[in-house]
Amino acid sequence: MSAPSTTPVSPPAASLPAAPTSWRAWPLLAGLLLASVLALAVGVAVGSTGLTLDWRGEDAMQAQILWDIRLPRSAGAWLAGALLGLAGAITQGLFRNPLADPYLLGSAAGARLGVALSLSLLGTTPAGMQWLERLGLTGVAFLGTLMGVSLTLAMARGVEQTLRLLLAGVVVGVVLGAVTDLVTLADPDILRTMQAFVLGTTSFLGWPSIVLMGCVLLLSLAVALGASEALDALTLGEATAESLGVRLGLVRVLLIGAFALATGTAVAQTGMIAFVGLVAPHLVRNLCHGSHRQLLLLSACAGGLLLLAADILARWLMAPQELPVGVITAILGGGYLLRLMHKRKYGGRA
């Protein structure tokens, strides 16, 4: 009679827990997409000349305004908002902080400094204007974004410590903001252009911007969705996520790259638009509690709809004059967050 085998049986490998999904997510996604299509139609119809309902294109000038100016502007506003909403959802999930926004790791401060330096050093000479026309303020802003995020990662000595990353991002943002203020004070001629960049604008969006932002949105969304299960595991804590097999270092690198790319592209095309990346994930969570896969998709759609609606209001409220779209998003986003805080204070649902 043979002896029983003493070979130890290996325990099954730990697997990531399946995050709860919400049945409300898909009707909500369909509603956001439908509302976005309707808002896009309104955006094409609303301009400085009022409401245009004749889309047949019989007048060449009117057709050019509709299809070459208003349509790319409205579609670009939606894409920029979707990038910010997606970046906000990634940031809040990665740092497990509902108050985190896409500008957390010095991206916005770096973009602002890049624009200020380029205007101060190159914008006052004919040769400098030629270089700015070739590179564009969008390219300079994007390079500044990469500089800000890279400096934050260098100060934090990598991506291993979440708290160190947050503190490094705050410090980099304050320091780069102070340097930008010094540059602006030294060259007051750039104040007007800097103000337009800081307040945000969708006036210069065109078809090339749409192609660029669309490609970046697809790439960032693919990376984020690929890491959505890791984000679900992170809600249980970093130690638990590591015990479940999540490679936190790799996940942080991929997600920081995704939200930095999305934020940098949006800021480079539209300037620093406030609150969209912060409010969109909050709004989605208030309507539906589901997995991060659902949250990422819904936040992108909600961010796009919010910025497009704000852009329409910016064009319509004081027509033929136009308000900075960042002012509208700050008023709407700040009002929503104040209402949310009031409901939590008195025990309401948040």
Side-chain angles (χ1 to χ4, degrees):
M1 183 175 181
S2 59
S5 174
T6 59
T7 303
V9 178
S10 300
S15 58
L16 296 180
T21 58
S22 173
W23 63 269
R24 296 181 180 179
W26 308 122
L28 179 59
L29 179 63
L32 288 172
L33 290 175
L34 178 59
S36 297
V37 172
L38 295 177
L40 184 63
V42 174
V44 175
V46 173
S48 60
T49 59
L51 186 65
T52 303
L53 299 178
D54 183 11
W55 291 15
R56 293 173 296 177
E58 295 178 355
D59 184 357
M61 179 67 71
Q62 187 65 34
Q64 184 177 13
I65 292 174
L66 290 177
W67 306 114
D68 294 338
I69 298 178
R70 293 185 189 173
L71 179 58
R73 174 175 179 167
S74 299
W78 191 92
L79 287 171
L83 287 170
L84 292 175
L86 175 63
I90 294 173
T91 309
Q92 292 175 15
L94 180 61
F95 294 108
R96 292 176 294 154
N97 186 346
L99 294 179
D101 72 350
Y103 302 150
L104 189 64
L105 297 188
S107 56
R112 187 166 167 244
L113 178 59
V115 171
L117 286 175
S118 63
L119 289 173
S120 180
L121 297 176
L122 302 175
T124 58
T125 64
M129 292 304 296
Q130 290 180 3
W131 275 105
L132 281 179
E133 288 177 0
R134 292 178 184 177
L135 181 60
L137 289 180
T138 57
V140 173
F142 186 74
L143 292 177
T145 298
L146 295 181
M147 177 194 69
V149 174
S150 300
L151 186 58
T152 298
L153 295 177
M155 285 189 61
R157 299 177 184 176
V159 296
E160 298 301 324
Q161 305 248 347
T162 301
L163 181 58
R164 186 181 301 219
L165 267 174
L166 292 172
L167 293 176
V170 172
V171 172
V172 168
V174 171
V175 172
L176 294 186
V179 175
T180 303
D181 292 337
L182 289 175
V183 172
T184 306
L185 288 173
D187 190 358
D189 294 337
I190 68 174
L191 275 173
R192 189 176 185 85
T193 305
M194 284 300 300
Q195 184 182 32
F197 179 79
V198 170
L199 293 178
T201 179
T202 57
S203 302
F204 305 109
L205 294 175
W207 292 115
S209 301
I210 289 178
V211 173
L212 174 62
M213 288 191 291
C215 292
V216 171
L217 178 61
L218 291 176
L219 177 60
S220 301
L221 188 59
V223 173
L225 290 178
S228 60
E229 292 185 353
L231 288 175
D232 291 331
L234 271 173
T235 60
L236 304 175
E238 292 185 359
T240 303
E242 284 185 321
S243 70
L244 292 172
V246 176
R247 299 172 61 185
L248 289 181
L250 178 61
V251 168
R252 287 195 184 103
V253 168
L254 290 175
L255 290 178
I256 287 174
F259 89 72
L261 180 61
T263 304
T265 303
V267 169
Q269 297 297 324
T270 61
M272 294 171 56
I273 295 177
F275 280 105
V276 173
L278 178 61
V279 168
H282 273 278
L283 184 62
V284 168
R285 288 194 194 95
N286 198 36
L287 296 174
C288 137
H289 298 277
S291 65
H292 271 89
R293 180 177 295 271
Q294 295 173 327
L295 175 64
L296 292 167
L297 287 170
L298 291 171
S299 296
C301 293
L305 181 59
L306 285 174
L307 185 51
L308 178 53
D311 182 58
I312 293 172
L313 287 175
R315 284 183 267 166
W316 174 72
L317 285 176
M318 295 182 64
Q321 295 182 350
E322 184 175 317
L323 290 172
V325 67
V327 173
I328 302 296
T329 59
I331 293 174
L332 296 178
Y336 173 77
L337 290 179
L338 286 174
R339 177 175 175 271
L340 197 64
M341 292 172 61
H342 178 78
K343 290 177 67 175
R344 285 188 173 181
K345 178 180 178 182
Y346 291 102
R349 179 174 176 267

